[in-house]
Amino acid sequence: MAPVPLMLARYLRCDPTPEAPLMACDAALHQEHTSREAVASLLRGPGSKQALRRLAMASPRARSPLETMARLQLYDAGIPFEDGVDIRHVGEVDLLVAGWLVLELDGYSYHEDEYQFGLDRRRDRELTRQATASPDSLAKMSRQAGLGRRFRGS
């Protein structure tokens, strides 16, 4: 069986779509099966330029394919974001969009436990307490980002 960096390098180079190879890279980086540098060191020759661009988008902070897809859509729409941001009294959030909008992208299985559900409600209340954005700023950001248009590829 080929080592993880070699498999990811081939996947990034050969797959015609960016989503699945990026999901695989995110998972491998998050679980510390490899490093971005180890994969990049194998990217030489045909298809490597595209593969290096894809690898640059990978994040060890992503914890699910849903987070990867959201990052790709935000990137394609030109909307600024950060992933895995630590917010005081809340903890790490999945995505922070435009410096103020928090997106949590957990699926049902993550919330089916009552204890976890309660923790998430506490985090939601704390985020609401800290919120400073006005409806006007949300409308302005939406217009600037062209959110009324469809995302590329949808």
Side-chain angles (χ1 to χ4, degrees):
M1 184 176 198
V4 172
L6 181 59
M7 290 187 302
L8 289 173
R10 288 179 180 164
Y11 201 12
L12 286 165
R13 189 182 357 244
C14 298
D15 195 282
T17 64
E19 295 88 357
L22 190 55
M23 287 178 200
C25 284
D26 284 354
L29 293 173
H30 180 72
Q31 296 170 15
E32 299 179 350
H33 292 302
T34 190
S35 68
R36 190 184 320 262
E37 295 78 16
V39 177
S41 72
L42 299 170
L43 293 172
R44 295 179 297 278
S48 292
K49 189 174 181 178
Q50 169 185 273
L52 285 166
R53 280 193 310 269
R54 290 177 174 181
L55 181 60
M57 294 179 66
S59 174
R61 293 176 299 275
R63 294 178 298 249
S64 74
L66 187 57
E67 289 179 35
T68 302
M69 292 299 297
R71 282 193 353 260
L72 278 173
Q73 288 185 334
L74 289 166
Y75 177 83
D76 285 348
I79 300 172
F81 65 90
E82 297 174 75
D83 65 328
V85 176
D86 190 49
I87 296 179
R88 200 173 107 194
H89 302 301
V90 174
E92 187 177 305
V93 298
D94 295 341
L95 293 167
L96 183 63
V97 181
W100 63 269
L101 179 65
V102 172
L103 294 182
E104 285 290 323
L105 302 164
D106 303 313
Y108 174 74
S109 62
Y110 186 73
H111 295 284
E112 64 186 342
D113 173 300
E114 273 190 54
Y115 177 75
Q116 186 61 47
F117 185 80
L119 287 178
D120 286 345
R121 297 300 69 79
R122 183 204 61 78
R123 288 168 38 99
D124 289 345
R125 287 189 301 275
E126 179 59 27
L127 284 167
T128 300
R129 190 187 71 70
Q130 292 184 32
T132 59
S134 69
D136 290 339
S137 61
L138 177 58
K140 181 179 178 185
M141 186 194 95
S142 297
R143 282 192 305 277
Q144 289 173 343
L147 290 181
R149 295 177 296 197
R150 295 179 66 172
F151 286 121
R152 187 175 77 193
S154 54

